[in-house]
C-alpha cells in the first residue's frame, strides 16, 4: 500500500507538519515561479480552537507553511485571537538563528560526498527515475546524487510547488511571526530548526529511501494534491484535511510516530503546563497537527484538557 499523501509525505510534511524545511531550503536554491496572470484573491476561513481555564486562554491555529500570495486568511476570528495574545508560539521561532548555522549548516547536513551515489541506493528502476526527475527539474545530477535521501525528497517536493507559485514567504506561520514581531509580542518556539531537521536526518536510511521513492511516484500530482489540502484548510474542514493525510497512513507507522504522534504528545504536555500560567497565548503549528485521531486536541483530551472549535463566522 502506498503512503500517498504522506509522501506527498514530504509535501504534507512541508506544508502541514514541519515548519523548517521549506524556509531553509528556499535559502539554498533560487527557483523562478512560472509566469501567471494576477491571481484572484481567495478568502480563506481556516479552523481555530481554544483551550481555557479560569485565567488562561490558549488558541490553537493550524498553518500551511507554503501558500500562494493570493490567499487571504489572517482576518476574522484568527486575527482577533492573535491580537488578544501576549505570547505567540510557533513550531520554530529561530529561522535565522546562529546556532542552526543557517544555509551553511543545512548544506553540511544535507550532503554525503563520500557515500555511494544516491541513485545506486534506490531500486534500479527508481534510481533511473530519480536521475530523470533531477534533470526534469534542472537539478545538477552530479551534485544531487551525493545528497542524503531526506534532502533529495525535500528538493523534489518543493521545486514543483515553488514553480507553481507556492512560496514559504507567503506561508501562514511566516505572516504570524512577522506580525508578532511588529506588535512586540513574545515569540516562543516549541522546537528548533536543528531539531526539526534532525527528525529526518535520524530516520533509518531505508525509510528515507522509501520516502524518496514515493515522492518520485507522486511528482506528477504534487501540485494538485497540495491544492486539495489547502482547499480543505481554507474552508475550515479539518476532517477533510485528515482524510487526505490519512489515506494510507497505516502503512508507515514509524513515519507517523516521528513527525506527528510523538510531537503532538509533547506539545499537548506543553499546553497543559502552560495553563498553570495566566494570560492569552496564540499557538500556530502545521495544520496536520490539528487534524485526525492523533491530533493535539485528541492528545489534550487524553490529558483531561478540553478544546473547542471557535465559531468561524467573521
Amino acid at each position: 500500500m502506498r503512503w500517498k499523501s504522506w509522501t506527498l509525505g514530504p509535501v504534507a510534511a512541508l506544508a502541514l507538519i514541519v515548519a523548517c524545511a521549506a524556509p531553509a531550503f528556499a535559502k539554498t536554491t533560487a527557483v523562478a515561479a512560472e509566469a501567471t496572470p494576477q491571481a484572484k484573491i481567495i478568502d480563506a476561513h481556516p479552523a481555530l480552537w481554544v483551550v481555557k481555564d479560569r485565567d488562561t486562554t490558549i488558541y490553537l491555529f493550524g498553518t500551511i507553511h507554503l501558500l500562494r500570495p493570493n490567499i487571504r486568511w489572517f482576518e476574522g476570528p484568527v486575527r482577533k485571537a492573535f491580537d488578544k495574545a501576549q505570547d505567540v508560539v510557533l513550531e520554530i521561532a529561530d529561522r535565522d538563528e546562529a546556532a542552526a548555522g543557517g544555509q551553511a549548516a543545512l548544506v553540511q547536513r544535507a550532503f554525503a560526498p563520500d557515500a555511494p551515489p544516491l541513485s545506486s541506493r534506490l531500486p534500479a528502476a527508481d534510481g533511473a527515475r530519480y536521475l530523470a526527475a533531477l534533470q526534469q527539474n534542472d537539478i545538477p545530477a552530479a551534485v544531487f546524487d551525493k545528497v542524503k535521501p531526506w534532502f533529495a525528497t525535500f528538493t523534489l517536493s518543493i521545486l514543483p510547488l515553488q514553480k507553481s507559485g507556492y512560496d514559504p514567504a507567503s506561508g501562514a506561520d511566516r505572516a504570524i511571526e512577522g506580525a508578532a514581531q511588529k506588535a512586540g509580542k513574545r515569540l516562543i518556539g516549541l522546537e528548533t530548526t536543528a531539531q526539526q531537521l534532525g527528525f529526518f536526518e535520524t530516520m533509518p536510511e531505508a525509510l528515507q529511501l522509501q520516502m524518496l521513492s514515493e515522492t518520485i511516484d507522486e511528482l506528477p500530482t504534487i501540485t494538485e494534491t497540495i491544492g486539495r489540502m489547502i482547499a480543505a484548510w481554507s474552508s475550515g474542514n479539518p476532517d477533510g484535511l485528515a482524510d487526505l493525510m490519512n489515506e494510507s497512513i497505516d502503512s508507515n507507522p514509524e513515519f507517523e510516530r516521528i513527525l506527528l504522534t510523538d510531537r503532538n504528545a509533547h506539545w499537548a504536555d506543553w499546553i497543559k503546563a502552560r495553563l498553570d500560567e495566566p494570560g492569552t497565548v496564540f499557538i500556530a503549528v502545521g495544520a496536520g497537527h490539528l487534524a485526525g485521531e492523533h491530533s493535539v486536541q485528541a492528545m489534550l483530551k487524553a490529558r483531561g484538557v478540553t478544546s473547542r472549535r471557535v465559531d468561524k463566522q467573521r
Side-chain angles (χ1 to χ4, degrees):
M1 183 183 293
R2 292 295 191 186
W3 324 346
K4 206 164 185 179
S5 60
W6 271 82
T7 334
L8 282 172
V11 174
L14 290 170
L16 302 175
I17 297 175
V18 181
C20 71
F25 180 83
K27 294 178 182 178
T28 66
T29 306
V31 179
E34 295 176 354
T36 56
Q38 184 66 34
K40 179 182 178 182
I41 295 296
I42 297 172
D43 284 313
H45 304 267
L48 179 70
W49 291 264
V50 65
V51 175
K52 299 183 75 170
D53 66 9
R54 181 177 56 84
D55 58 0
T56 307
T57 299
I58 300 176
Y59 292 99
L60 303 176
F61 176 64
T63 67
I64 302 289
H65 302 312
L66 298 96
L67 286 171
R68 287 176 171 151
N70 65 314
I71 299 179
R72 185 166 55 193
W73 57 270
F74 203 5
E75 299 180 354
V78 174
R79 185 70 200 215
K80 290 177 183 177
F82 172 86
D83 287 342
K84 292 175 184 176
Q86 296 87 46
D87 294 343
V88 173
V89 180
L90 304 171
E91 289 184 39
I92 53 175
D94 61 353
R95 298 182 198 283
D96 299 313
E97 67 180 291
Q103 178 180 344
L106 177 61
V107 170
Q108 184 177 15
R109 297 172 72 165
F111 283 80
D114 298 327
L118 180 51
S119 57
S120 70
R121 286 179 276 157
L122 290 162
D126 287 346
R129 291 166 60 234
Y130 170 64
L131 293 174
L134 294 180
Q135 184 176 20
Q136 290 165 7
N137 284 279
D138 300 317
I139 301 170
V143 174
F144 271 77
D145 214 22
K146 288 294 187 178
V147 301
K148 296 175 183 177
W150 65 266
F151 188 74
T153 296
F154 284 146
T155 304
L156 291 176
S157 296
I158 295 174
L159 284 180
L161 297 177
Q162 288 185 301
K163 289 178 179 179
S164 296
Y166 291 101
D167 185 356
S170 298
D173 48 330
R174 299 296 289 275
I176 291 167
E177 184 177 40
Q181 291 170 338
K182 185 176 180 180
K185 298 179 185 289
R186 183 169 67 151
L187 274 169
I188 299 169
L190 293 168
E191 298 167 346
T192 67
T193 300
Q195 185 179 0
Q196 287 203 347
L197 290 174
F199 294 143
F200 290 91
E201 275 189 312
T202 57
M203 285 182 183
E205 183 171 277
L207 180 56
Q208 292 187 40
L209 291 171
Q210 186 179 357
M211 287 169 54
L212 179 55
S213 291
E214 294 289 348
T215 296
I216 294 167
D217 284 346
E218 299 294 347
L219 278 176
T221 57
I222 277 179
T223 302
E224 175 187 351
T225 301
I226 199 63
R228 291 166 60 204
M229 291 180 174
I230 291 173
W233 174 81
S234 297
S235 63
N237 182 8
D239 292 336
L241 187 60
D243 288 343
L244 286 169
M245 291 182 60
N246 294 329
E247 287 175 357
S248 301
I249 196 171
D250 59 337
S251 67
N252 207 305
E254 183 66 4
F255 192 81
E256 178 188 15
R257 181 190 65 77
I258 293 170
L259 285 189
L260 191 75
T261 310
D262 284 356
R263 297 169 71 209
N264 287 357
H266 290 312
W267 297 354
D269 289 337
W270 189 96
I271 292 167
K272 183 176 181 180
R274 181 60 182 79
L275 285 170
D276 292 336
E277 301 178 33
T280 301
V281 181
F282 185 90
I283 298 180
V285 296
H289 292 286
L290 305 183
E293 62 178 331
H294 300 300
S295 67
V296 171
Q297 302 95 306
M299 299 287 187
L300 286 169
K301 184 177 181 179
R303 290 156 173 75
V305 177
T306 300
S307 61
R308 68 170 178 84
R309 178 82 177 263
V310 176
D311 188 343
K312 67 179 180 179
Q313 295 300 317
R314 293 184 182 272

